[in-house]
Amino acid sequence: MSESIFRKDATAQGVAKQRLIETLAKPEERIINDPYADRFVLGASFIKFMGHRLNVWLAQKLVPGFHEHLISRTRFIDDLVKKNSASGVEQYVILGAGYDSRAHRLELPSSLRIFEVDQPEVQARKRSKLPEELSNSENMTYVAVDFTHQSLTEQLMNAGFDQNKSTVFTLEGVSQYITKEALSSTIKEVAALTQRASSIFFISYVSDLFDKNPEACFGKGYPNAEKRAKLIMYGSAKVGEPWISFYGAEEIENVLSQNGYSVKENVTLKDLNSRYFAPVGRALSENQLLQLEHFVMAESQN
Ligand SMILES: C[S@@+](CC[C@H](N)C(=O)[O-])C[C@H]1O[C@@H](n2cnc3c(N)ncnc32)[C@H](O)[C@@H]1O
């Protein structure tokens, strides 16, 4: 596939870039480790040459907290998946997996069956960049689905999803790119698929305040909050993946509860700053907090 006509992976690359930057930190200071991220990022050699500190400094100049927000989101899910797979969850479905390599970079039990769902073009590029020998690849299946017009159920079932097994689903950094109808039908399909077994659903969503009152999504004293919010929106639209859907906490809770899920945790970078960054001496100050995205963990009631 020619890189020049490929237009669907800019944001997936953007997140992989932040994981690459974090991986360059000293092992005792880093929050996540992704040894595969560099394979997907254009200009990875230059990023590696600059190193962790300089890249993070630059990110702080452009949009303070942006790097930490994405890294804390990844770490939150890493912890969730590790904890649940260690306590016996049998399947893991990564919805909108992009260039995430959780299936290979975490030491997950070999009994865990993993399904990576994304658009076919993104998966094709991902597969062409990954090494042939990868840990856990025999337990992992790629499932091509476009949430806006394809049935997740049909594709997952064809790929061997087992409705009798307990499952974790994660939808990381995707809800802002798809319509509210597509999100709600995806959650509905997930609920129907998991009626016979317990399941956990993780979703990240962008607060509707970001659209209406951006200042409310940043820590006190955050410099030029409104300008930064516009910059983020402009950046996504410019690469052809505009943010189109924003949610309130109640709205997300309602969509989840209508489908049998109850919210157990709803956090932002503010909460994860003290959980992950403070212990390694990298706590952000109030005026660097970017809280536009919420990270929600919900459990099924069955
Ligand atoms: C910002 S990236 C996040 C990727 C990954 N979850 C991560 O955090 O690294 C958004 C992902 O959603 C996927 N995506 C966007 N719209 C989609 C759709 N309609 N159907 C399936 N996947 C979609 C993109 O291909 C991309 O991989």
Side-chain angles (χ1 to χ4, degrees):
M1 187 183 321
S2 151
E3 297 281 354
S4 60
I5 56 158
F6 190 68
R7 286 282 179 272
K8 287 195 173 178
D9 77 333
T11 60
Q13 266 201 56
V15 191
K17 179 179 167 186
Q18 299 309 319
R19 287 196 296 267
L20 164 60
I21 292 171
E22 188 62 21
T23 300
L24 299 173
K26 290 183 195 149
E28 65 276 17
E29 284 178 14
R30 71 183 166 210
I31 309 302
I32 58 124
N33 178 25
D34 184 350
Y36 304 106
D38 62 341
R39 294 169 177 262
F40 308 112
V41 180
L42 297 177
S45 310
F46 188 62
I47 291 168
K48 286 190 202 172
F49 171 74
M50 281 171 63
H52 178 256
R53 271 175 196 263
L54 191 53
N55 276 295
V56 168
W57 176 84
L58 199 62
Q60 283 293 349
K61 290 280 159 214
L62 287 169
V63 183
F66 187 72
H67 170 78
E68 291 78 5
H69 139 249
L70 289 176
I71 293 305
S72 65
R73 183 177 83 189
T74 296
R75 171 66 185 271
F76 182 88
I77 304 173
D78 286 0
D79 287 353
L80 179 75
V81 173
K82 282 203 281 190
K83 182 175 153 221
N84 283 284
S85 57
S87 58
V89 159
E90 299 156 288
Q91 300 181 118
Y92 174 31
V93 180
I94 313 176
L95 300 165
Y99 296 141
D100 169 71
S101 60
R102 201 166 275 128
H104 312 293
R105 69 184 168 76
L106 301 181
E107 283 169 16
L108 299 171
S110 56
S111 54
L112 183 72
R113 193 77 211 281
I114 303 169
F115 300 89
E116 280 205 6
V117 179
D118 208 304
Q119 307 178 87
E121 301 88 337
V122 178
Q123 292 190 327
R125 182 169 183 267
K126 182 175 191 174
R127 297 175 83 157
S128 74
K129 301 279 175 189
L130 281 172
E132 277 182 19
E133 292 294 316
L134 269 173
S135 70
N136 230 3
S137 39
E138 60 289 356
N139 306 323
M140 208 274 273
T141 309
Y142 287 98
V143 186
V145 178
D146 184 326
F147 301 127
T148 53
H149 64 266
Q150 282 183 314
S151 157
L152 175 66
T153 309
E154 198 183 319
Q155 304 293 83
L156 264 183
M157 293 300 288
N158 288 343
F161 181 86
D162 187 336
Q163 290 184 277
N164 295 309
K165 291 190 169 167
S166 52
T167 308
V168 173
F169 291 82
T170 61
L171 188 73
E172 177 186 13
V174 181
S175 70
Q176 58 268 49
Y177 301 105
I178 61 176
T179 61
K180 292 196 173 187
E181 292 73 28
L183 176 71
S184 126
S185 67
T186 300
I187 299 179
K188 207 169 168 181
E189 284 193 75
V190 165
L193 269 167
T194 54
Q195 268 174 350
R196 293 189 223 139
S198 65
S199 63
I200 286 176
F201 194 89
F202 167 92
I203 179 172
S204 62
Y205 69 88
V206 177
S207 166
D208 54 3
L209 285 173
F210 187 61
D211 206 21
K212 297 178 202 150
N213 174 20
E215 299 234 340
C217 296
F218 297 84
K220 204 160 172 248
Y222 191 99
N224 299 316
E226 197 163 344
K227 201 175 107 195
R228 282 339 198 286
K230 284 196 179 130
L231 186 69
I232 296 171
M233 295 280 278
Y234 174 80
S236 312
K238 186 82 184 153
V239 296
E241 295 173 63
W243 287 9
I244 55 170
S245 299
F246 307 90
Y247 298 87
E250 214 175 301
E251 192 179 1
I252 281 289
E253 238 166 76
N254 285 342
V255 183
L256 288 166
S257 73
Q258 280 156 14
N259 289 290
Y261 285 98
S262 65
V263 171
K264 300 293 171 196
E265 224 180 335
N266 182 342
V267 293
T268 67
L269 175 60
K270 187 171 185 168
D271 310 285
L272 302 184
N273 188 30
S274 49
R275 193 180 301 180
Y276 299 137
F277 294 99
V280 293
R282 291 173 54 195
L284 297 175
S285 51
E286 172 76 23
N287 65 0
Q288 296 174 311
L289 288 178
L290 184 80
Q291 301 169 79
L292 56 95
E293 209 175 15
H294 286 243
F295 313 134
V296 171
M297 191 276 281
E299 287 175 1
S300 68
Q301 280 137 14
N302 48 354

